[in-house]
Amino acid sequence: MFTRSGLDWTERFRSLVSCLQGIGADTALLDGEVVAFDETGRSAFSALQTRLKGGKGPEFSYMVFDLIKLDGQDLRKQPLRLRKQKLREVLEPAGPQLRYVDHIPEDGPAMYRTACEMGLEGIISKRSDLPYRSARTDTWRKIKCIGRGDFLICGWRKSTAKGRPFASLLLGSREAGQLGHLEIPRLWNRILIQLPR
């Protein structure tokens, strides 16, 4: 199991290996995302981090959304809808930790509104008639549900990672007339901070 940057994380995701060995193929190259679900059934980045650090929590699940190679055959030139058909068949005999991510060919804006109302992170949109592309293009979009709020930046926790100035922000928020606090992990792609001019 390799990360997007090519790191071998098979040992970290050891609990998924036996499930992967149960797929309906001798060899396959899958594209997906490992997640951990919280008690509400939503994927939670904090639960994933806890598990990766060896803490207790829900088992990893592998959300599989594309099939790139199957038993030596390169499928990248085939349209997404055909790759997804084969992917569903390949994953059918696998364990419950491997989850086929279905596509919903419906009204995109309505799907987006529903995802946001459910408190989900957002939706992914892809053209079903196109071949596989490893890079993000205009035919591959991640559309996030963006929450907004006003917070006081009270401080930060220093990072132990080289090249990172801080690990998390310490914020203050006002609820029901009381000032509370929260800590937001350093997730550059999830947080937009707008400073007043």
Side-chain angles (χ1 to χ4, degrees):
M1 299 190 74
F2 293 93
T3 66
R4 189 180 302 150
S5 60
L7 300 175
D8 185 343
W9 278 27
T10 307
E11 204 50 49
R12 291 184 180 209
F13 298 129
R14 177 62 46 201
S15 63
L16 293 172
V17 172
S18 60
C19 293
L20 286 164
Q21 290 170 336
I23 66 172
D26 291 329
T27 62
L29 180 57
L30 308 173
D31 193 357
E33 184 170 351
V34 176
V35 302
F37 292 101
D38 65 15
E39 59 280 352
T40 68
R42 293 184 175 93
S43 63
F45 188 71
S46 59
L48 179 67
Q49 283 185 314
T50 299
R51 286 283 296 163
L52 284 171
K53 292 176 182 175
K56 292 186 177 180
E59 286 294 323
F60 294 122
S61 291
Y62 187 28
M63 310 300 288
V64 190
F65 42 75
D66 212 337
L67 178 62
I68 301 166
K69 293 184 180 180
L70 178 62
D71 291 329
Q73 181 185 6
D74 190 337
L75 305 178
R76 288 178 290 184
K77 292 183 179 178
Q78 294 187 14
L80 175 61
R81 66 176 172 271
L82 294 180
R83 297 193 314 270
K84 298 273 290 189
Q85 286 173 3
K86 291 179 183 176
L87 176 62
R88 184 191 294 269
E89 295 167 10
V90 165
L91 292 181
E92 197 169 322
Q97 287 175 264
L98 296 189
R99 300 188 184 195
Y100 170 77
V101 178
D102 207 351
H103 54 282
I104 304 170
E106 301 294 334
D107 181 4
M111 182 69 189
Y112 172 74
R113 284 192 299 274
T114 301
C116 294
E117 288 167 4
M118 292 173 65
L120 302 178
E121 185 180 342
I123 63 171
I124 300 287
S125 299
K126 292 185 178 184
R127 289 267 307 268
S128 65
D129 60 334
L130 293 181
Y132 181 83
R133 296 284 183 264
S134 58
R136 291 188 182 176
T137 68
D138 285 345
T139 62
W140 190 120
R141 296 184 185 260
K142 187 172 188 176
I143 307 159
K144 294 186 177 185
C145 299
I146 300 175
R148 296 183 62 96
D150 293 322
F151 302 95
L152 301 168
I153 300 176
C154 303
W156 67 88
R157 291 198 192 280
K158 190 173 181 178
S159 175
T160 57
K162 186 177 178 181
R164 290 186 182 173
F166 63 90
S168 59
L169 290 176
L170 306 176
L171 305 178
S173 66
R174 189 172 297 279
E175 291 183 28
Q178 299 292 318
L179 188 62
H181 72 280
L182 61 150
E183 185 170 342
I184 304 293
R186 179 192 171 275
L187 301 172
W188 297 114
N189 62 336
R190 294 175 187 235
I191 300 171
L192 173 65
I193 299 173
Q194 187 172 8
L195 299 175
R197 293 182 185 226

